[in-house]
Amino acid sequence: MRSIDATHDPSLTSWVDSANLPQCDFPLQNLPFAVFRRSGSREPLRCGVGIGDAVLDLTALGAAAPRSGPAAEALGACAAPALNGLMALGPAAALALRQTLSQLLRTGSAHAAALASALVPQAQAQFAVPARIGDYTDFYTSIHHATAVGRLFRPDQPLLPNYQWVPIAYHGRASSIGVSGQQVRRPQGQLMPRGAERPHLAPSERLDYELELGVFIGAGNTLGDPIPLERAEQHVFGLCLLNDWSARDVQAWEYQPLGPFLAKNFATTVSPWVVTLEALAPFRAPWQRPAADPAPLAYLDGQTLRASGALDISLGVALETARMRERGVPPVPLSRSNFRDCYWSLAQMVAHHTVNGCNLAPGDLLGTGTQSGPQPQEAGSLLELTGGGKQPVTLPDGETRTFLADGDSVILRAWCERAGFRRIGFGEAAGTVCPAR
Ligand code: MN
């Protein structure tokens, strides 16, 4: 378990002035990682760390870079077009690098003048998917989402009997994961409208987003060796935002008996920034369940889980239609929820995924599943917000939506706030729907 240390001290400030603004996502206490190059350049992609409105090029630290020790080894892994090498080194290396970066970037650092040339404004950077993602698994950890969606698909049995025992997931598709700014082509697929006698192939009419977090695996495990719950978070590097775009009409027809397939594998959008578990240490919360619910099986239960297995991360989704964009109307918030409300924790996802011996590798991605809260306005998808497309959402200038229209941009955000600590954020994961081919 990562602990709170001197890098979380809320009084620390950075010589990068923009990092000290109160609503900045990337103060000195955050230090999220990304993969980037200067926009329009042919420079190699490499790893950087977010500070204020800039990204610090981790391959350009020069004389400020440590020469030996775990921080030097971690930094060496950053001269690569993906974070996999850094992720593979495990939490001790990530912590050493965080402590070094915290020193280098804080107000009064002797290296400030030399490092200024290693800063690239985020507005002038092009970002990439932060890791080579070998495998992607999407969980279903919000019981509020599972119940609301279940009610629409199966009114007689909203929550399936396995839900309170098994952290449900499906194997997703890594090839179509893109980074924020992604253009998402409306997919076509088999549609079976209510009352029709046979399905037809057509562009989806019920295109939706899903408000999720992504979990990047750090050190992997050997095939055949399960990761026990108490050590599960030692295998997690950090979290990002994740939009699991979903074609609800395709999904409704295809999902039984084997779960989602073409309804979801056409696109997934992640944020460029990976917020480490080290940065999230101040925002832990007890993991708990309603007293009437069954306790998890022993391999999914433990003291650390109960004491601090949950994370207090606020999540939000906003929409910007093509017309709003033309008129300069800012994106309109659709809903908010919190990762604290999920039914299954990070550690439970990892322990369950590997209990049969399945091997996870550095850079593998787990989705948390749509994060919906207990209140109707905390729905993490349009499917839930509109009651299955029956109650349209009205936007500020009179437009309405049941599902997404061509030209719509969906913007996911997340942030953590707690009294006595500096607020940190995740940046954004934005994607825009373009017309079917
Ligand atoms: Mn999902």
Side-chain angles (χ1 to χ4, degrees):
M1 182 66 62
R2 277 73 157 190
S3 44
I4 295 171
D5 63 22
T7 65
H8 302 100
D9 181 345
S11 68
L12 290 179
T13 57
S14 172
W15 51 266
V16 180
D17 292 333
S18 58
N20 305 323
L21 299 171
Q23 286 304 302
C24 173
D25 273 0
F26 306 135
L28 184 60
Q29 291 79 358
N30 191 350
L31 301 173
F33 291 94
V35 169
F36 80 104
R37 66 173 147 225
R38 283 183 179 77
S39 303
S41 78
R42 305 184 62 144
E43 295 171 349
L45 289 164
R46 69 272 196 192
C47 304
V49 71
I51 182 76
D53 60 8
V55 50
L56 178 71
D57 184 344
L58 292 174
T59 66
L61 302 191
R67 300 273 159 78
S68 60
E73 190 187 1
L75 209 50
C78 292
L83 288 166
N84 297 63
L86 176 61
M87 291 168 165
L89 292 175
L95 179 62
L97 182 55
R98 173 181 173 83
Q99 288 169 338
T100 295
L101 293 170
S102 177
Q103 294 280 353
L104 292 177
L105 289 166
R106 76 181 57 168
T107 303
S109 163
H111 296 283
L115 286 178
S117 63
L119 291 178
V120 176
Q122 288 169 23
Q124 294 169 27
Q126 171 199 340
F127 293 94
V129 173
R132 282 186 317 278
I133 300 167
D135 275 302
Y136 161 47
T137 305
D138 197 18
F139 280 84
Y140 199 48
T141 67
S142 163
I143 196 169
H144 308 295
H145 171 70
T147 305
V149 171
R151 198 171 286 131
L152 295 169
F153 282 68
R154 292 176 310 274
D156 49 322
Q157 192 182 31
L159 195 66
L160 291 170
N162 58 4
Y163 188 86
Q164 292 172 322
W165 298 97
V166 182
I168 299 290
Y170 67 93
H171 283 297
R173 181 82 193 164
S175 66
S176 52
I177 298 173
V179 75
S180 185
Q182 190 175 17
Q183 299 286 312
V184 174
R185 188 161 302 278
R186 179 180 298 275
Q188 57 173 351
Q190 280 201 24
L191 312 183
M192 181 67 157
R194 204 178 293 274
E197 285 187 2
R198 45 175 292 167
H200 63 282
L201 183 71
S204 170
E205 294 171 357
R206 291 163 73 93
L207 183 58
D208 201 355
Y209 59 80
E210 291 194 329
L211 173 59
E212 306 195 16
L213 288 168
V215 181
F216 277 105
I217 296 298
N221 61 308
T222 306
L223 180 62
D225 288 352
I227 299 172
L229 186 82
E230 292 291 324
R231 288 215 311 270
E233 288 197 6
Q234 299 297 310
H235 293 263
V236 174
F237 178 80
L239 307 186
C240 67
L241 290 159
L242 186 150
N243 182 350
D244 177 24
W245 302 90
S246 299
R248 300 301 184 191
D249 36 12
V250 177
Q251 184 179 358
W253 172 231
E254 77 173 4
Y255 89 106
Q256 287 181 317
L258 288 185
F261 179 32
L262 301 183
K264 288 169 177 282
N265 72 1
F266 59 94
T268 304
T269 304
V270 294
S271 58
W273 302 102
V274 185
V275 175
T276 62
L277 282 200
E278 286 74 22
L280 291 166
F283 309 104
R284 313 286 327 193
W287 177 90
Q288 49 204 354
R289 280 224 170 140
D293 288 11
L297 294 182
Y299 79 96
L300 293 173
D301 205 348
Q303 278 181 348
T304 310
L305 171 80
R306 300 257 174 188
S308 56
L311 280 162
D312 184 348
I313 302 175
S314 296
L315 303 161
V317 54
L319 179 70
E320 180 193 62
T321 68
R323 200 163 96 185
M324 291 166 69
R325 197 153 46 242
E326 279 163 23
R327 295 181 175 195
V329 178
V332 56
L334 290 181
S335 71
R336 279 176 58 169
S337 63
N338 194 301
F339 186 45
R340 192 184 48 213
D341 291 325
C342 71
Y343 201 76
W344 297 103
S345 76
L346 278 191
Q348 288 170 321
M349 285 188 253
V350 171
H352 183 68
H353 203 308
T354 62
V355 71
N356 65 347
C358 175
N359 49 332
L360 298 176
D364 279 1
L365 182 65
L366 312 181
T368 59
T370 309
Q371 295 300 304
S372 300
Q375 303 303 321
Q377 68 273 20
E378 295 175 300
S381 68
L382 279 173
L383 181 71
E384 296 158 84
L385 268 185
T386 67
K390 293 193 177 74
Q391 299 131 25
V393 172
T394 302
L395 306 175
D397 63 351
E399 288 182 280
T400 60
R401 286 291 181 276
T402 47
F403 293 95
L404 296 170
D406 293 343
D408 285 356
S409 293
V410 176
I411 302 121
L412 309 188
R413 290 190 160 276
W415 62 95
C416 301
E417 287 173 307
R418 184 181 158 198
F421 291 93
R422 189 72 158 80
R423 175 196 181 280
I424 64 170
F426 283 66
E428 66 178 38
T432 302
V433 178
C434 54
R437 190 158 269 147

